[in-house]
Amino acid sequence: MTGNPGRWPRIDQDGGIEDVTLLILEWLGEQGVNAMIRVDAERVADNAPAWTFAASGGPLEHGIRADGRTVQQCMSTALSQLREAGLSVPF
């Protein structure tokens, strides 16, 4: 970690989406979708939504972008958008 106390990850015992994020990315790749998740250190420092998910290609007619303050928030929004776009993500 960065050595900043208080920046240790907090695990949401009820959510669990953090646990399957890499599986979701792998599944999307198998569907021909280019996808990534990233964190922006400048936005962390500014206390802005620092996590970004982006996906395009394959069966997606348009690209998708979702931002969030946490991985869970970001990926929850991303899954909702992927399902609206017609992808039945099995997670």
Side-chain angles (χ1 to χ4, degrees):
M1 298 292 295
T2 63
N4 294 336
R7 291 295 308 161
W8 290 98
R10 293 178 189 89
I11 298 172
D12 180 359
Q13 299 296 332
D14 299 327
I17 197 163
E18 299 93 339
D19 296 334
V20 297
T21 295
L22 294 178
L23 295 173
I24 293 168
L25 291 173
E26 183 176 32
W27 182 86
L28 288 168
E30 292 169 355
Q31 310 310 306
V33 176
N34 301 308
M36 66 170 215
I37 187 164
R38 70 181 295 264
V39 64
D40 185 318
E42 289 181 15
R43 290 195 284 170
V44 169
D46 291 340
N47 198 28
W51 289 93
T52 300
F53 170 88
S56 64
L60 294 175
E61 187 174 327
H62 303 286
I64 290 175
R65 177 182 169 147
D67 295 298
R69 292 192 179 278
T70 64
V71 174
Q72 181 181 11
Q73 186 181 62
C74 177
M75 288 304 296
S76 294
T77 302
L79 284 176
S80 176
Q81 290 181 17
L82 287 166
R83 289 181 177 134
E84 286 177 16
L87 280 173
S88 298
V89 181
F91 299 99

